[in-house]
Amino acid sequence: MAKLSQDELLEQFGEMTLIELSEFVKAFEEKFDVEAAAPVAVAAAAGGAAGGAAEAAEEQDEFDVVLTGAGDKKIQVIKVVRELTSLGLKEAKDVVDGVPKPVLEKVSKEQADKAAESLKAAGASVEVK
């Protein structure tokens, strides 16, 4: 079998459908006992616009904002938790007292980042998962 150059391989990947690429990656992982996370991204990029759509579909689109610590300004953190969640005072206090606790679940990246910034500004420790 003739050895193919990198350009020839990329040209072949560009002609494949997403399903064919997915099957190829699975076969490659099985044969060489590896995880092909980086090669998948390269192969998907070679596939043009369709590859870009597949890569975007694999990205996480739902995030959880988890309060990991209240810090020194506990009252300020409780106020921010109430603003973000529309919980009552007692429920918000329970969230802050029971860290680590999720404040928001399954929200967009933008919403999660804004919530994390607000909580950090109030003195809390936050994780976005």
Side-chain angles (χ1 to χ4, degrees):
M1 177 183 223
K3 185 175 178 182
L4 297 175
S5 72
Q6 186 175 5
D7 291 334
E8 291 170 327
L9 284 171
L10 289 173
E11 187 176 316
Q12 291 297 314
F13 288 133
E15 295 174 7
M16 295 174 109
T17 66
L18 290 177
I19 294 172
E20 291 170 333
L21 268 174
S22 175
E23 290 171 354
F24 169 78
V25 169
K26 287 178 188 172
F28 185 91
E29 288 174 337
E30 288 175 13
K31 176 156 177 95
F32 297 105
D33 192 30
V34 295
E35 280 190 37
V40 170
V42 172
E55 193 174 320
E58 293 175 7
E59 288 182 18
Q60 183 177 355
D61 60 353
E62 291 183 338
F63 297 85
D64 294 343
V65 179
V66 180
L67 184 66
T68 57
D72 296 336
K73 301 177 182 177
K74 193 173 180 179
I75 294 173
Q76 296 297 343
V77 175
I78 292 171
K79 287 180 180 179
V80 173
V81 169
R82 289 189 68 200
E83 290 172 13
L84 293 171
T85 61
S86 69
L87 291 174
L89 181 60
K90 182 181 180 340
E91 291 85 2
K93 183 180 180 305
D94 291 344
V95 168
V96 173
D97 287 341
V99 293
K101 283 268 188 167
V103 176
L104 296 174
E105 294 179 318
K106 297 182 180 178
V107 295
S108 69
K109 175 75 172 157
E110 183 179 301
Q111 196 174 2
D113 288 341
K114 284 182 182 178
E117 279 182 39
S118 297
L119 287 164
K120 286 178 184 175
S125 302
V126 181
E127 242 180 61
V128 177
K129 295 181 180 183

